[in-house]
Amino acid sequence: MSEYKMWIGGKWIGAESGKTYPVFNPANGMEIAQLPLGGKADVDKAVDAARKAFPIWSKKPQSERSQVAMKIASLLRENAKELGMIDTLDHGTPVKTAAATVAGKAVNFEWAAYNARSLMGHTVPQSPNELAYLQHEPIGVVALITPWNFPLSMILVKLAPALTLGNTCIIKPPSIDSLAALKLAELLEKLELPPGTINVITGPGSTVGESLASHRGVDMVSFTGSCETGKQIMALASQTVKRLHLELGGKNPVIILEDADINTAANAMAARQFSNAGQICACPGRFYVHEKVYDEFLEKFTAATQKLVVGDPGDEKTDMGPLVSAEHRDRVEGYIRSGLDEGAKIVMGGQKPTALPMKNGYFVMPMIFTNATQKMKIAREEIFGPVAVFMEKFNSDAKVIEMANDSTFGLCSYIWTRDMARGMRFANEIAVGTVWLSNALTLAPELPWTGYKESGIGEENSLYGLLEYTNLKRVHVDLTLTK
Ligand code: NAD
């Protein structure tokens, strides 16, 4: 077992308190590391370092910062296997996908590198005697507060635009899954950036996260996580009117129309539902299936679910590993109990494995509920686990759209039909940031990712996302003045 340090101001240091906390392998419950228990004093140090680095980093030519981003892309590809193994160890990401997920984020740095170099300002034709022009400037010190569901990737999608555009960054990774962030800092150390350009602090959200969100020296918080925490961060950040970017939860409606390709839809949606053990913001949250194809879809979805290999995430054959922690497993089990208490029916799954080695890990077997109704907790709240929730059958387009929109969330939706005009009418009516029409998850740095309603504020990725990390300045020049 190793003891780790935090990366602050270009140095590896322990927590000011001298304390550490344990992290565990979710596949077997064994302690794997002790991490520094960062707190307010460590946040003060990191903010101080990041503020000192800002005038140096932000004044580098964009071409130079873009070259750094390109080098980070190469480092990610070269080290994807090792970084992926760390996600497998402390998060339970199956090795089958772990390295490719990390390597896939290299593109975000390349994309940011190219696009930051062509991020042009504008001139405004206000008056013949005056030039008014607009320019994008980095914001300052940005705190990146990220969740555990993709421990490294969630950091990388924020770090790519924030750093490339000239901001200095304080990464606050999820306390239980911080090892990959520390490994990333070790790789970035080789780039010899001005000390404090990138900092990593480990520790709980209630101390490190809150100190960052309320700190006067932090100019922006870019947060991905739960709605509950997002609201707390908004309240804390309001004290200093910080720029906020929030990517929050979802309870995403899947609508299967009677003319859909049922086979393709069932297989794609089962893969999406149980990927990362359901711990994905874009995970299907509620299945609405037309009465004419309900039985066929459920049967095929169940068959696809039964084929999933659940087990040791370190095994190449495994499709689904454990949940991230004992605490989170208990939370998911609480939702399962609530579904049963409120009258939903179990088609399959939901049990804890009883045999070793899975017995000691935080596993919940893939589960399917049917007969859920709009008012049930399992239909309203984000379960964030391997639990598919089938709502009662529907037979009216207008009614299903109303039910799909009856949610505080508005992240994304999957609509399956062969009639694209009908599908596009659904896409227009459903209040979410992303709609997949007869298609499943596609993410790319050039495509925006955003939430409606309580699913978030601002865009991740795309040119819109790049601009989130800039201030827009307007400059007026009087052309009549001569020396
Ligand atoms: P979380 O909100 O519990 O924690 C996220 C981060 O915030 C962690 O680093 C945590 O330590 C920190 N934090 C916790 N309390 C804090 C506080 N009071 N002040 C400041 N920081 C605090 O979320 P989680 O359980 O790690 O992740 C799961 C959630 O993330 C789900 O709701 C999921 O939908 C959401 N998510 C959303 C997206 C998206 O793009 N919309 C992507 C991934 C995950």
Side-chain angles (χ1 to χ4, degrees):
M1 198 188 353
S2 326
E3 194 174 304
Y4 290 79
K5 303 262 190 246
M6 301 185 285
W7 176 246
I8 296 178
K11 293 197 181 84
W12 291 101
I13 54 174
E16 187 72 14
S17 66
K19 292 186 185 156
T20 60
Y21 68 96
V23 288
F24 301 91
N25 178 342
N28 57 23
M30 305 277 285
E31 186 179 320
I32 46 177
Q34 285 283 334
L35 300 185
L37 185 70
K40 189 179 173 312
D42 305 289
V43 168
D44 287 343
K45 274 190 211 166
V47 173
D48 190 43
R51 292 219 75 81
K52 286 197 177 108
F54 180 69
I56 308 167
W57 180 242
S58 62
K59 297 235 161 18
K60 300 254 182 222
Q62 184 55 56
S63 57
E64 201 178 309
R65 287 200 302 263
S66 288
Q67 276 165 22
V68 168
M70 296 299 280
K71 283 185 195 154
I72 297 177
S74 303
L75 284 172
L76 289 175
R77 288 208 179 88
E78 284 156 22
N79 295 279
K81 197 158 177 214
E82 189 181 352
L83 290 163
M85 285 301 288
I86 297 174
D87 278 356
T88 300
L89 184 70
D90 71 358
H91 177 71
T93 312
V95 276
K96 207 186 232 185
T97 54
T101 304
V102 172
K105 293 293 169 279
V107 184
N108 289 57
F109 283 86
E110 288 161 352
W111 192 88
Y114 299 139
N115 285 285
R117 289 189 73 166
S118 48
L119 201 63
M120 294 185 207
H122 296 277
T123 56
V124 182
Q126 217 205 354
S127 135
N129 295 327
E130 186 184 19
L131 174 66
Y133 66 90
L134 308 180
Q135 64 189 25
H136 301 285
E137 296 183 348
I139 291 174
V141 174
V142 182
L144 313 179
I145 305 182
T146 56
W148 45 253
N149 66 328
F150 287 96
L152 186 58
S153 300
M154 291 288 128
I155 294 169
L156 298 174
V157 294
K158 295 182 183 303
L159 185 65
L163 180 76
T164 309
L165 285 164
N167 300 285
T168 52
C169 301
I170 303 174
I171 299 169
K172 189 259 172 262
S175 51
I176 54 177
D177 279 351
S178 298
L179 294 179
L182 294 174
K183 180 70 198 173
L184 176 72
E186 198 184 306
L187 297 174
L188 299 184
E189 189 180 359
K190 295 179 193 150
L191 300 176
E192 297 183 350
L193 301 179
T197 304
I198 300 171
N199 308 271
V200 180
I201 309 188
T202 52
S206 55
T207 49
V208 176
E210 291 198 8
S211 301
L212 285 167
S214 53
H215 205 292
R216 190 155 288 283
V218 171
D219 301 291
M220 173 178 178
V221 177
S222 179
F223 169 77
T224 298
S226 62
C227 289
E228 197 190 11
T229 308
K231 288 175 192 175
Q232 285 170 2
I233 287 178
M234 273 183 103
L236 292 167
S238 70
Q239 295 164 23
T240 51
V241 195
K242 288 189 202 326
R243 177 78 69 91
L244 276 184
H245 173 227
L246 304 176
E247 295 290 340
L248 309 178
K251 188 69 185 171
N252 312 305
V254 178
I255 300 176
I256 310 291
L257 296 170
E258 70 278 20
D259 62 351
D261 173 347
I262 299 299
N263 216 22
T264 306
N267 286 315
M269 289 296 88
R272 193 93 317 277
Q273 176 72 59
F274 299 107
S275 170
N276 201 21
Q279 303 166 119
I280 301 186
C281 56
C283 182
R286 299 170 279 157
F287 283 87
Y288 295 96
V289 187
H290 195 280
E291 61 181 16
K292 287 191 183 152
V293 291
Y294 183 94
D295 292 343
E296 183 190 354
F297 181 82
L298 179 59
E299 188 191 313
K300 290 187 167 154
F301 184 90
T302 307
T305 305
Q306 281 163 341
K307 281 192 206 139
L308 295 170
V309 179
V310 182
D312 175 5
D315 186 329
E316 282 290 346
K317 289 198 243 16
T318 296
D319 297 307
M320 194 188 106
L323 292 173
V324 71
S325 64
E327 187 193 6
H328 187 57
R329 181 208 41 211
D330 295 348
R331 187 173 165 268
V332 170
E333 285 178 343
Y335 277 112
I336 294 175
R337 279 195 300 281
S338 131
L340 289 172
D341 291 348
E342 292 191 298
K345 295 199 166 51
I346 293 185
V347 175
M348 64 168 278
Q351 69 278 27
K352 255 188 220 166
T354 48
L356 285 170
M358 286 208 293
K359 184 175 181 274
N360 290 339
Y362 313 136
F363 290 87
V364 170
M365 297 306 282
M367 178 182 186
I368 304 173
F369 264 130
T370 57
N371 296 65
T373 57
Q374 289 293 117
K375 286 209 166 67
M376 288 183 189
K377 211 167 148 184
I378 55 166
R380 303 205 72 77
E381 296 181 16
E382 193 181 31
I383 299 175
F384 225 57
V387 182
V389 177
F390 278 63
M391 311 298 290
E392 291 173 314
K393 305 168 189 179
F394 76 88
N395 58 16
S396 145
D397 286 10
K399 185 74 190 150
V400 78
I401 288 169
E402 189 187 317
M403 290 193 294
N405 282 334
D406 173 22
S407 172
T408 53
F409 297 102
L411 191 60
C412 64
S413 179
Y414 302 82
I415 295 159
W416 290 85
T417 175
R418 285 191 175 92
D419 177 347
M420 282 303 139
R422 185 180 177 199
M424 284 163 75
R425 285 197 295 277
F426 270 79
N428 288 345
E429 297 300 326
I430 309 268
V432 293
T434 300
V435 175
W436 283 284
L437 265 185
S438 291
N439 173 315
L441 200 61
T442 331
L443 293 173
E446 58 271 30
L447 294 170
W449 179 247
T450 186
Y452 281 27
K453 300 193 262 184
E454 293 190 18
S455 288
I457 299 176
E459 279 82 23
E460 195 113 81
N461 293 337
S462 80
L463 277 178
Y464 300 103
L466 216 55
L467 295 177
E468 294 277 344
Y469 295 93
T470 66
N471 279 324
L472 186 60
K473 180 175 279 176
R474 169 180 124 188
V475 182
H476 289 263
V477 185
D478 185 342
L479 299 177
T480 62
L481 284 181
T482 49
K483 231 169 110 186

